[in-house]
Amino acid sequence: MIANEILIKIENAPISERIHIIEYILQSLKHDMQPTTMPKVRQRKPFQVRSFNLGQDVHCDRDEIYAERG
């Protein structure tokens, strides 16, 4: 816990000193948040497309399809 005396000194300190205190606290937090272990690097697997046969060619009439829409 922070002593009340320290808090009172901080409250009465000039703004520039308060900003320096805040910057110091932020730097220490950034340092503490650094990951201790290296993140795992995923290995990329090659993407392969399998071909398939529908059995027959599919033909459609665009005009007939769009005529149904109005």
Side-chain angles (χ1 to χ4, degrees):
M1 279 300 240
I2 299 176
N4 286 335
E5 296 172 6
I6 296 173
L7 292 175
I8 293 171
K9 287 182 182 180
I10 291 173
E11 287 177 351
N12 296 329
I15 292 178
S16 61
E17 287 184 21
R18 289 192 215 171
I19 292 173
H20 287 295
I21 292 170
I22 292 170
E23 288 175 347
Y24 180 76
I25 292 171
L26 288 175
Q27 288 299 324
S28 68
L29 288 173
K30 285 181 184 178
H31 177 71
D32 291 344
M33 291 174 58
Q34 295 292 330
T36 55
T37 59
M38 295 297 292
K40 293 181 181 178
V41 178
R42 294 184 179 185
Q43 289 182 338
R44 294 187 178 214
K45 295 179 181 178
F47 181 75
Q48 296 179 358
V49 177
R50 292 184 288 169
S51 60
F52 58 92
N53 186 359
L54 295 175
Q56 60 183 345
D57 289 339
V58 178
H59 297 285
C60 62
D61 184 11
R62 287 178 121 193
D63 294 330
E64 184 179 330
I65 293 172
Y66 289 123
E68 293 175 1
R69 293 185 183 179

